[in-house]
Amino acid sequence: MRVDLFDFDLPDENIALRPANPRDSARLLLVRPDRDEGVLEDHVVSDLPSFLRPGDALVFNDTRVIPAQLEGFRHRAGGEAVAVSATLHLRKADNIWHAFARPGKRIKPGDRLRFTAPDGSAVLEADVAEKREGGEVVLSFNARGAALDEALMRVGHVPLPPYIASKRAEDGKDRDDYQTVYARENGAVAAPTAGLHFTPRLLQALKEAGVEQHFVTLHVGAGTFLPVKADDTDDHTMHFERGIVTPETAEALNAVKARGGRIVSVGTTSLRLLESAVTDDGEIGAWEGETGIFITPGYSFRAVDMLMTNFHLPKSTLFMLVSAFCGLETMRAAYAHAIETGYRFYSYGDSSLLFRKD
């Protein structure tokens, strides 16, 4: 499909720079694709239990954002130190990460990168093991496993999305704001933003309403922020992200479907993982590995019945995904309504609850 079909104009004032407070006070747009332009209803996130039924199951991504933005200098024998930044996006071993580096053209295999904490109290070094296309490099760090994780906590920054970072600097609030209340598995470069709206109060209300809560893990990579540069979706290559669906979670979700309950994915990350783990006959299996699934209109969903998700960038793979879920014309109408009525977009923005177009 032509990528420009997924374009739209978004005023700057619709881009959220801070989350709603409290989190579940954010707005929620209900989208039912009952006809081409859809049926739209304005609500707030705390209303979510009223749209679900006892026996439905919410599926959350419990990945935890790490300080994956690194700032430092490139060192090369006989040359001057050059300022560089690296955004980690995929861990391949206990000391190996794939990263997007800037300025990418000036980095070569064999370079030594030295990253320092803002106050200079800690240093982390990595060698460039490989250079790839699009500014991607493979970094081999001088620390491994838990020691590397601890060093990243001291040296790294929260990798705020470019549309926030270009307007303000990261601060202490972001370490809490850019993390779900149920995050537990370290490894994400970006937050699963649909989950940022949940509070302990809302989770308890959903439990009391008889809605099950299950967890999968997909470590969101920096590729989620990359624009689609191709003119046709067939020419776009997705970056891979590592995830896991445990046997216990797969069994529980299959039981929900068997008794007529609905699978409600909290976020596109949970959805992409579940759709990677499902078989052609709709059975969700235990799954672990890297997924680069790219969902565009025409895709046949087999695992997920409803999707809670934020409002996404023009011409992004995520807007393509929601257009596949609800229909392109329905989502264009929904986004036009959201812009006109002042919904807040992107990571810290408002939310939507989408019903699948059958």
Side-chain angles (χ1 to χ4, degrees):
M1 297 183 70
R2 296 199 329 267
V3 170
D4 61 7
L5 292 173
F6 303 93
D7 197 11
F8 57 88
D9 293 323
L10 181 71
D12 280 348
E13 56 265 28
N14 286 89
I15 300 175
L17 300 183
R18 296 285 184 185
N21 185 23
R23 295 184 181 209
D24 57 7
S25 67
R27 299 176 70 186
L28 179 73
L29 180 61
L30 199 69
V31 183
R32 300 178 186 269
D34 298 334
R35 52 181 184 266
D36 286 345
E37 68 274 19
V39 175
L40 309 176
E41 299 177 13
D42 299 307
H43 299 276
V44 293
V45 170
S46 58
D47 294 334
L48 180 61
S50 65
F51 308 125
L52 304 180
R53 301 191 293 252
D56 287 344
L58 287 164
V59 182
F60 299 93
N61 182 4
D62 66 1
T63 188
R64 186 173 186 84
V65 180
I66 62 172
Q69 181 69 42
L70 304 174
E71 304 292 338
F73 291 88
R74 183 209 73 193
H75 296 269
R76 185 182 297 166
E80 295 183 359
V82 176
V84 296
S85 66
T87 303
L88 310 181
H89 76 91
L90 181 64
R91 191 171 198 160
K92 300 295 288 187
D94 63 355
N95 70 320
I96 304 294
W97 275 88
H98 288 199
F100 295 110
R102 296 194 310 271
K105 292 183 179 179
R106 303 181 68 179
I107 294 177
K108 298 179 180 179
D111 286 347
R112 170 68 57 88
L113 307 184
R114 180 172 295 156
F115 306 108
T116 57
D119 61 1
S121 62
V123 176
L124 179 63
E125 294 186 347
D127 292 324
V128 179
E130 184 181 345
K131 184 175 180 179
R132 299 187 167 195
E133 296 181 355
E136 185 180 15
V137 295
V138 179
L139 299 180
S140 175
F141 285 91
N142 64 340
R144 295 175 175 270
L148 175 55
D149 296 341
E150 292 171 5
L152 290 174
M153 291 298 295
R154 296 194 302 270
V155 173
H157 302 261
V158 173
L160 288 178
Y163 41 78
I164 295 177
S166 64
K167 298 179 184 298
R168 68 166 180 84
E170 171 213 357
D171 58 33
K173 284 181 61 61
D174 289 308
R175 289 228 174 185
D176 292 326
D177 288 344
Y178 202 55
Q179 201 80 263
T180 63
V181 296
Y182 47 78
R184 58 189 177 195
E185 300 293 339
N186 285 331
V189 174
T193 55
L196 296 179
H197 299 293
F198 286 82
T199 62
R201 174 183 62 184
L202 178 56
L203 293 171
Q204 181 62 31
L206 289 160
K207 182 178 179 180
E208 292 173 357
V211 178
E212 295 185 13
Q213 299 173 28
H214 300 284
F215 296 88
V216 296
T217 304
L218 183 73
H219 294 313
V220 190
T224 190
F225 300 134
L226 295 180
V228 177
K229 296 182 179 180
D231 294 326
D232 193 283
T233 58
D234 287 343
D235 298 324
H236 177 70
T237 301
M238 291 284 285
H239 284 83
F240 282 80
E241 297 165 316
R242 176 164 290 278
I244 182 170
V245 179
T246 66
E248 296 78 12
T249 296
E251 182 179 1
L253 294 178
N254 287 325
V256 169
K257 294 175 75 72
R259 62 172 178 263
R262 297 173 297 182
I263 303 298
V264 185
S265 176
V266 178
T268 57
T269 60
S270 298
L271 181 146
R272 292 178 64 244
L273 183 53
L274 291 175
E275 292 294 328
S276 299
V278 72
T279 63
D280 289 340
D281 61 2
E283 188 85 1
I284 299 171
W287 192 92
E288 182 172 6
E290 296 178 3
T291 178
I293 187 172
F294 182 22
I295 296 175
T296 58
Y299 178 86
S300 179
F301 292 88
R302 299 184 296 277
V304 176
D305 302 297
M306 298 169 64
L307 170 64
M308 183 176 173
T309 185
N310 286 19
F311 293 92
H312 305 294
L313 281 76
K315 297 198 292 187
S316 65
T317 61
L318 300 182
F319 185 60
M320 295 172 190
L321 184 154
V322 297
S323 297
F325 198 79
C326 269
L328 177 56
E329 292 308 313
T330 294
M331 292 313 302
R332 290 184 68 88
Y335 273 48
H337 171 82
I339 293 169
E340 181 180 356
T341 57
Y343 276 75
R344 302 162 70 244
F345 274 58
Y346 303 162
S347 294
Y348 279 154
D350 295 314
S351 191
S352 63
L353 183 64
L354 314 181
F355 290 73
R356 191 181 72 199
K357 182 180 179 67
D358 291 324

